[in-house]
């Protein structure tokens, strides 16, 4: 069994603080790394050793695997928690960690590589009984006639996607056959630049899907469980704004069947740690889109409904410990919501870094705030604009919405604009209340407002 | 510059303060305090730039008396600190090698940013140092 004594947290912001808390719970030493722009991060006061790894630019600090590994060696860390973003889903980094004789708190690099390539992930999921959209089972060939044959068989509209990436880059929606070849060409170019991999594939395009995802945990002994489902349909430009669990209006047995299929697939591919299977849900069907082989920003939503400390379990799994519970022990209790509070203009979502002059956290039963901000904290312009996650738990969806509305009202952040006022409005939106928000709703409304 | 003074306004106060600040800068004084029965005056100068030494008399080469003018020698890289034998009280010249940072097989020189006296060793030989982490404190010495 691998022995973990010191965990290096290769991340920043609220998630770094979240990981420090879990490590302390387990009695582990912690190392915090930071860039020159980040000396004021809240978690650095709590770690056993804080070390500056490089300049503000993430490519020379949080995205520089060599520097992270160097920091781990210098500080005697034996495990690295990558958090989310940055290097968390980089199989080359995971491999380098393994080669250095250290433990990455996450899946093996080979599994990360399998699921990181969207084509191989799709193939693996299909082979393991996870529902997928009709689409190409390999990278599109170069020959235009072959591309047309494949795509005509799938049917239009369809979406061209990058094999090596996500987040909307390298994606093109093709409404009719005449647009196909241009879309494939430009998607290839963008994918090559963004991910260093120009392979693209196609899937049937869904017009009004919801985003539903399944949280799983799997240990190194072949045990895997699913902890719950989340609905993350309230998004703008592929960035989530509100997440909730369980997804409203979907029968429990459908979610349960899907969850079991995901846990089973995770065990079969030799997955270890925390992971998320993402689906598009439309017309009563779930369609696998990708797996996130890391902790998700929105993991607290599932922690609130399941009572499981996902970060703690992740670390325990990395030590080689078997899961301390079985699927039969897992329950979904009540309803949870999360609002991502970003330092952004609430209308156009433009990032708005600045200094927090004063802030007050909401409280009361069922309210949780995960944040790294404090009075006087200067938000650097170099990174993501997420400054806090406000999470609530209620007896049912209406109760959770009421608690969130009160918490947002109570939340005070002076010095920078935030998305909170927009989220107050969203909670009262009839479509949100009805649980029919799709991943396109917000963007479509914005486009409508502008046109 | 911060200043605290009593309520009494004096028409010569502006000129007086200007002369006082100039004199303080000339002599490298960071703080001036004056007190009598009903008056307390305190003038604290903020360093204009940590890297720019204050003026000093042309022939003395004295160290500045106030630590707030000290400059820090920083490591150019993340690595392991290796001593170059420098310690408190040693005088250094600008660009002198005051230590090394070992990055794998590389040994990079850490150089003094200014002439001065080492007043504090912040890192022990053989310990990890971060990117731009201070390894020595130096009190600048002005010579001309």
């Amino acid at each position: 069994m691998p022995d973990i004594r010191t965990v290096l947290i290769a991340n920043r912001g609220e998630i770094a603080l979240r990981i420090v808390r879990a490590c302390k719970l387990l009695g582990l030493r912690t190392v915090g790394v930071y860039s020159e722009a980040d000396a004021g991060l809240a978690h650095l006061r709590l770690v056993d050793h804080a070390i500056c790894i490089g300049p503000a630019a993430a490519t020379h600090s949080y995205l520089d695997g060599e520097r992270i590994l160097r920091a781990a060696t210098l500080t005697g860390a034996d495990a690295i928690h990558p958090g989310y973003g940055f290097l968390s889903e980089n199989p080359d980094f995971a491999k380098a960690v393994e080669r250095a004789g250290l433990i990455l708190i996450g899946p093996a690099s080979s599994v990360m590589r399998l699921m990181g390539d969207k084509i191989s992930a799709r193939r693996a999921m299909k082979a393991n009984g996870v529902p997928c959209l009709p689409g190409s089972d390999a990278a599109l060939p170069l020959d235009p006639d072959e591309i047309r044959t494949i795509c005509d068989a799938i049917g239009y509209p369809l979406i061209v996607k990058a094999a090596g990436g996500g987040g909307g880059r390298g994606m093109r929606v093709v409404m009719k056959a005449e647009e196909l070849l241009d879309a494939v060409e430009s998607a290839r170019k963008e994918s090559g630049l963004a991910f260093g991999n120009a392979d693209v594939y196609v899937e049937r395009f869904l017009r009004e899907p919801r985003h539903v995802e399944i949280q799983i945990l799997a240990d190194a002994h072949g045990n895997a469980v699913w902890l719950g489902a989340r609905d993350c349909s309230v998004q703008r430009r592929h960035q989530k704004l509100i997440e909730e669990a369980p997804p409203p209006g979907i029968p429990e047995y459908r979610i349960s069947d899907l969850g079991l299929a995901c846990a089973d697939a995770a065990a079969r591919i030799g997955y270890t740690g925390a992971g998320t299977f993402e689906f598009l849900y439309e017309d009563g069907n779930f369609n696998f889109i990708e797996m996130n082989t890391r902790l998700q920003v929105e993991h607290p939503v599932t922690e609130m409904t399941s009572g499981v400390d996902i970060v703690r379990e992740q670390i325990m799994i990395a030590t080689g410990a078997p899961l301390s519970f079985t699927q039969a022990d897992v329950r979904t209790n009540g309803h949870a919501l999360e609002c991502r509070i970003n330092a952004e203009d609430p209308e156009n979502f433009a990032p708005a870094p600045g200094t927090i002059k004063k802030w007050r956290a909401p409280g009361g039963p069922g309210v949780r705030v995960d944040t790294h901000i404090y009075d006087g904290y200067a938000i650097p312009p170099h990174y993501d604009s997420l400054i806090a996650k406000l999470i609530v738990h209620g007896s049912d969806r209406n109760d959770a919405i009421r608690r969130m509305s009160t918490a947002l009202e109570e939340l005070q952040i002076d010095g920078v604009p935030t998305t909170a006022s927009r989220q107050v409005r969203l909670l009262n939106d009839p479509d949100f209340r009805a649980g029919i928000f799709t991943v396109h709703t917000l963007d479509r409304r914005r486009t409508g407002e502008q046109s | 510059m911060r200043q605290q003074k009593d309520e009494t306004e004096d028409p010569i106060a502006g000129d007086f303060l200007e002369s006082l600040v100039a004199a303080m800068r000339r002599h490298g004084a960071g703080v001036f305090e004056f007190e009598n029965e009903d008056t307390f005056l305190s003038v604290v100068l903020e360093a204009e730039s940590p890297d720019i030494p204050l003026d000093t008399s042309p022939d003395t080469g004295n160290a500045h008396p106030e630590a707030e003018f000290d400059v820090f020698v920083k490591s150019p890289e993340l690595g392991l600190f290796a001593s170059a034998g420098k310690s408190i009280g040693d005088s250094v010249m600008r660009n002198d090698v005051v230590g090394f940072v070992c990055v794998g097989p590389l040994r990079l020189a850490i150089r003094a940013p200014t002439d001065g006296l080492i007043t504090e060793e912040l890192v022990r030989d053989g310990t990890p140092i971060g990117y731009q982490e201070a390894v020595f404190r130096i009190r600048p010495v002005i010579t001309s």
Side-chain angles (χ1 to χ4, degrees):
Chain A
M1 181 179 288
D3 191 15
I4 295 180
R5 290 181 186 175
T6 304
V7 176
L8 181 143
I9 298 135
N11 217 298
R12 61 180 303 284
E14 68 83 23
I15 196 60
L17 188 55
R18 171 74 185 87
I19 296 164
V20 170
R21 287 173 179 152
C23 289
K24 285 187 177 287
L25 206 58
L26 292 165
L28 299 171
R29 277 186 81 249
T30 47
V31 175
V33 298
Y34 61 99
S35 78
E36 255 192 307
D38 262 349
L41 283 175
H43 77 287
L44 298 176
R45 291 190 307 109
L46 305 174
V47 294
D48 296 285
H49 193 148
I51 194 158
C52 180
I53 52 169
T59 45
H60 297 298
S61 48
Y62 302 109
L63 281 169
D64 187 334
E66 189 279 324
R67 280 173 186 270
I68 301 280
L69 279 173
R70 200 192 314 162
T73 308
L74 286 166
T75 56
D78 34 42
I80 295 176
H81 197 307
Y84 51 67
F86 296 127
L87 293 167
S88 63
E89 290 185 287
N90 183 324
D92 294 335
F93 175 67
K95 185 77 188 167
V97 173
E98 289 163 4
R99 281 206 181 115
L102 303 176
I103 297 161
L104 184 78
I105 299 175
S109 62
S110 55
V111 178
M112 199 184 280
R113 201 176 294 284
L114 171 80
M115 300 310 283
D117 183 296
K118 309 300 178 213
I119 297 171
S120 61
R122 195 181 136 80
R123 220 180 279 144
M125 290 304 98
K126 269 181 95 173
N128 285 287
V130 175
C132 295
L133 280 167
S136 59
D137 288 327
L140 285 182
L142 293 174
D143 181 68
D145 290 336
E146 282 184 58
I147 294 175
R148 273 195 213 97
T149 308
I150 292 167
C151 293
D152 288 351
I154 295 164
Y156 296 89
L158 51 77
I159 183 165
V160 185
K161 289 182 169 180
R169 285 181 296 178
M171 278 190 195
R172 296 289 182 279
V173 177
V174 182
M175 300 307 286
K176 44 188 192 284
E178 301 87 81
E179 300 166 0
L180 178 65
L181 295 180
D182 284 349
V184 170
E185 185 56 31
S186 67
R188 273 187 176 137
K189 270 188 193 152
E190 192 174 318
S191 306
L193 286 172
F195 312 114
N197 175 1
D199 284 350
V200 294
Y201 66 107
V202 288
E203 279 178 349
R204 174 80 55 76
F205 176 69
L206 301 180
R207 289 171 192 265
E208 296 296 341
R210 285 167 58 186
H211 176 116
V212 174
E213 57 188 33
I214 300 284
Q215 174 73 57
I216 63 104
L217 279 174
D219 67 20
H221 306 275
N223 307 306
V225 294
W226 70 282
L227 296 178
R230 297 182 286 257
D231 186 318
C232 314
S233 302
V234 184
Q235 311 181 354
R236 88 299 181 183
R237 297 191 296 264
H238 303 282
Q239 298 297 314
K240 299 163 186 168
L241 270 176
I242 301 178
E243 298 103 339
E244 63 181 308
I250 302 177
E252 221 176 293
Y253 74 92
R254 296 289 319 279
I255 301 263
S256 174
D257 287 350
L258 184 69
L260 288 172
C262 292
D264 190 44
R268 282 171 189 249
I269 62 172
Y271 193 87
T272 50
T276 300
F277 291 79
E278 294 192 333
F279 296 87
L280 292 179
Y281 178 77
E282 190 177 90
D283 297 332
N285 297 313
F286 296 105
N287 303 282
F288 172 79
I289 44 174
E290 64 179 34
M291 182 182 192
N292 291 147
T293 56
R294 56 167 167 85
L295 193 63
Q296 299 267 108
V297 175
E298 60 270 27
H299 75 273
V301 173
T302 306
E303 290 185 324
M304 299 294 262
T305 53
S306 68
V308 174
D309 180 335
I310 295 173
V311 184
R312 182 183 177 279
E313 292 301 323
Q314 244 194 324
I315 299 169
M316 290 302 294
I317 289 168
T319 68
L323 283 171
S324 58
F325 55 90
T326 66
Q327 190 66 59
D329 301 318
V330 179
R331 295 275 182 281
T332 297
N333 295 312
H335 199 95
L337 287 171
E338 175 183 275
C339 283
R340 295 190 190 190
I341 311 296
N342 295 308
E344 289 176 3
D345 181 310
E347 299 311 316
N348 63 18
F349 302 117
T355 299
I356 307 288
K357 286 186 186 147
K358 190 177 182 182
W359 95 281
R360 281 196 187 137
V367 177
R368 166 178 167 182
V369 183
D370 283 14
T371 184
H372 58 293
I373 65 169
Y374 50 84
D375 290 353
Y377 172 68
I379 305 161
H382 314 280
Y383 316 109
D384 192 86
S385 55
L386 180 73
I387 54 170
K389 299 189 310 202
L390 179 51
I391 309 115
V392 299
H393 184 244
S395 56
D396 57 26
R397 190 167 190 258
N398 284 336
D399 185 37
I401 291 173
R402 275 195 296 272
R403 283 173 200 267
M404 182 60 90
S405 298
T406 308
L408 282 167
E409 201 180 318
E410 218 177 304
L411 175 73
Q412 182 192 346
I413 298 178
D414 294 341
V416 292
T418 74
T419 46
S421 59
R422 187 66 181 261
Q423 283 147 335
V424 169
R425 272 155 44 203
L426 282 166
L427 291 180
N428 291 314
D429 187 289
D431 285 356
F432 179 79
R433 289 289 180 132
I436 56 169
F437 237 80
T438 77
V439 297
H440 302 309
T441 305
L442 261 190
D443 289 334
R444 202 158 282 157
R445 285 181 186 175
R446 280 195 69 226
T447 315
E449 281 164 15
Q450 285 163 1
S451 59
Chain B
M1 190 180 79
R2 277 196 333 261
Q3 52 179 302
Q4 296 167 343
K5 63 193 287 282
D6 68 357
E7 299 290 319
T8 315
E9 278 298 323
D10 186 326
I12 63 161
D15 293 340
F16 167 71
L17 280 175
E18 255 182 51
S19 318
L20 175 62
V21 169
M24 287 171 70
R25 292 220 183 272
R26 201 161 53 245
H27 296 287
V31 180
F32 172 83
E33 287 182 351
F34 170 77
E35 191 171 11
N36 67 13
E37 280 177 11
D38 58 0
T39 305
F40 173 67
L41 174 69
S42 171
V43 178
V44 181
L45 293 188
E46 288 173 356
E48 291 175 289
S49 160
D51 282 342
I52 301 171
L54 301 178
D55 291 340
T56 187
S57 54
D59 52 355
T60 56
N62 285 338
H64 289 293
E66 299 305 329
E68 69 181 279
F69 296 108
D70 288 355
V71 296
F72 292 95
V73 186
K74 293 179 175 178
S75 170
E77 255 307 341
L78 165 70
L80 212 55
F81 178 68
S83 170
K86 299 288 185 192
S87 54
I88 294 173
D90 286 354
S91 62
V92 293
M93 303 286 283
R94 183 181 161 85
N95 282 332
D96 274 0
V97 174
V98 294
F100 300 93
V101 54
C102 302
V103 182
L106 297 176
R107 196 173 154 94
L108 307 174
I110 303 175
R111 294 178 186 277
T114 185
D115 300 350
L117 279 178
I118 293 178
T119 57
E120 194 175 0
E121 295 173 63
L122 297 161
V123 179
R124 286 200 317 275
D125 188 35
T127 54
I129 44 172
Y131 175 78
Q132 291 297 310
E133 183 176 334
V135 292
F136 286 110
R137 181 198 282 263
I138 291 183
R139 187 145 305 163
V141 172
I142 307 304
T143 54
S144 64

